[in-house]
Amino acid sequence: RKNGEVIERWEDHNLIVDGARQLMAKMAAGIVSTSITDLGVGSGNAPETVDDTALKNGVLIPIKTRTVNDKQARFDFFIGTDQANGINIREFGLFAANGTMFAHRVRDRSLEKADDLTIEGYWEINF
């Protein structure tokens, strides 16, 4: 939303990265106990790969709400007018509390984040 008015809607599929698989294996074995806590935004434009671990010029924003419905986890987020300003947002990621990237998505074009722009949405992962 720019000045409160919706200027774009975007829907896409995400890529679960290898770090997420390693993290889930450790969680299943009781080695770590963590959860997805943050949405990351960055300016990188390289296509996603399963080896990705970070975002270029990344900024983390706490997830607003987390819910589970059967085999689907949903992460609602809101980037306010005072967050991530000055970044040409091109990529998004989900991150666990321990800093592990879980999922990654790169947009076709950038979104210049300024203090008159808010971004709200949700990220769903099906298991």
Side-chain angles (χ1 to χ4, degrees):
R1 296 180 188 271
K2 186 169 186 160
N3 296 317
E5 185 177 325
V6 174
I7 59 170
E8 181 181 346
R9 293 186 191 277
W10 181 57
E11 182 177 334
D12 205 348
H13 295 280
N14 64 74
L15 174 69
I16 304 298
V17 297
D18 283 347
R21 289 175 174 75
Q22 294 163 353
L23 183 62
M24 287 189 293
K26 290 176 183 175
M27 290 170 61
I31 296 171
V32 298
S33 175
T34 191
S35 62
I36 294 173
T37 56
D38 296 292
L39 172 80
V41 295
S43 59
N45 61 3
E48 315 85 353
T49 72
V50 295
D51 298 324
D52 292 342
T53 59
L55 304 175
K56 183 177 179 183
N57 301 316
V59 172
L60 297 179
I61 293 111
I63 295 291
K64 189 174 171 183
T65 57
R66 300 175 288 176
T67 55
V68 173
N69 183 8
D70 194 28
K71 294 180 277 182
Q72 181 183 76
R74 178 176 162 145
F75 306 91
D76 294 289
F77 59 86
F78 181 81
I79 304 171
T81 57
D82 61 340
Q83 296 173 302
N85 290 330
I87 296 177
N88 285 321
I89 297 174
R90 185 81 187 259
E91 57 182 338
F92 290 84
L94 284 180
F95 288 83
N98 68 357
T100 300
M101 179 185 272
F102 197 92
H104 190 202
R105 190 35 123 201
V106 177
R107 292 169 43 95
D108 292 335
R109 57 190 169 91
S110 64
L111 177 63
E112 186 176 337
K113 179 63 174 75
D115 63 4
D116 62 347
L117 190 68
T118 60
I119 301 171
E120 61 183 308
Y122 60 89
W123 198 312
E124 293 177 333
I125 298 177
N126 295 303
F127 291 90

